[in-house]
Amino acid sequence: MLEVKPRFQSFEEYLAYDDSSDKLYELYNGELIEMPPDSGINVQVATFLLIQFVALLGYKRVRGHGLELEVRGEPRNRYPDLTIIRAEHIQQLAKRNTIRLSMLPPLLVVEVVSPGELQRDRDFIAKRLQYQDCGIPEYWIIDPENKTVLVLELIDGIYHEVGIFAGDDLVISPQFQELSLCVSQIFDYQL
């Protein structure tokens, strides 16, 4: 039997769609592209950061991989590995865990780079431009291959490097200056 894939003319049509599954999709040129599962290392890094931010902010403002961001361009949505939301988002996201372009942007998004050149370009170039366009004040790119954390801060609508942190460096976060996090802690997932 031939499976007919749905096509969407608008983001609103996509939001109304329910395939009764837990799958995550990016909307690309009106078609659903199923997101593959994350690597174990990516999950470990994102979970470690989630725990650190929950200790700092409480659990309601820290969202893991399931939070969806509407963005301009293609694809029309992204699922950051970790997102720090604003207090007003808590109520806005009660029915659907999607931050729309019409809402204020989250305070911070974190992406953990998956292996492969395509994934590196996606996180370092494509997502950077989309998150910058959304006005997200801070973007972290965690690179398990090089064991670095790139912190970007939005200034006058453009991301500027706060720094590339490695080893025993403390991660400097413009939004969360009270965070005390050493890069080596993030990559302490070896057996």
Side-chain angles (χ1 to χ4, degrees):
M1 184 168 166
L2 182 64
E3 180 183 346
V4 178
K5 291 187 175 185
R7 288 201 48 85
F8 303 95
Q9 299 302 314
S10 69
F11 198 72
E12 284 68 26
E13 277 185 31
Y14 158 75
L15 290 175
Y17 175 72
D18 181 7
D19 70 353
S20 300
S21 77
D22 291 337
K23 295 176 183 177
L24 298 178
Y25 299 100
E26 285 184 342
L27 181 62
Y28 193 84
N29 287 329
E31 294 184 16
L32 297 179
I33 307 296
E34 185 179 347
M35 301 297 300
D38 285 330
S39 73
I41 289 172
N42 287 35
V43 171
Q44 285 177 301
V45 168
T47 301
F48 173 77
L49 290 171
L50 183 135
I51 292 167
Q52 303 309 305
F53 277 103
V54 164
L56 187 68
L57 302 170
Y59 72 94
K60 291 181 181 179
R61 294 197 38 224
V62 183
R63 300 289 168 108
H65 182 65
L67 179 118
E68 179 179 40
L69 286 175
E70 179 185 13
V71 294
R72 289 177 194 73
E74 297 294 337
R76 297 281 313 273
N77 58 329
R78 296 290 189 179
Y79 297 92
D81 292 306
L82 185 75
T83 306
I84 307 302
I85 63 173
R86 298 170 187 267
E88 59 264 34
H89 287 142
I90 296 167
Q91 184 62 35
Q92 292 172 329
L93 301 176
K95 290 186 178 162
R96 183 175 175 121
N97 203 25
T98 301
I99 295 180
R100 302 291 311 270
L101 287 169
S102 59
M103 300 162 76
L104 287 173
L107 296 174
L108 167 69
V109 292
V110 176
E111 294 287 359
V112 182
V113 180
S114 297
E117 199 60 36
L118 179 66
Q119 287 76 7
R120 294 184 73 73
D121 287 349
R122 185 180 63 202
D123 290 337
F124 281 95
I125 299 169
K127 289 182 184 179
R128 178 178 176 160
L129 291 171
Q130 286 182 311
Y131 295 161
Q132 176 180 281
D133 179 65
C134 288
I136 297 169
E138 191 170 335
Y139 175 33
W140 292 12
I141 304 173
I142 312 264
D143 186 350
E145 186 177 314
N146 295 313
K147 297 190 176 172
T148 59
V149 177
L150 169 61
V151 176
L152 300 164
E153 179 181 21
L154 193 68
I155 301 171
D156 296 327
I158 297 173
Y159 277 136
H160 296 270
E161 277 190 25
V162 173
I164 300 174
F165 304 99
D168 291 329
D169 294 342
L170 284 176
V171 177
I172 296 172
S173 169
Q175 295 282 314
F176 304 98
Q177 296 175 6
E178 62 278 21
L179 183 68
S180 180
L181 181 63
C182 183
V183 175
S184 59
Q185 292 174 282
I186 296 170
F187 299 111
D188 187 25
Y189 47 75
Q190 306 295 334
L191 293 177

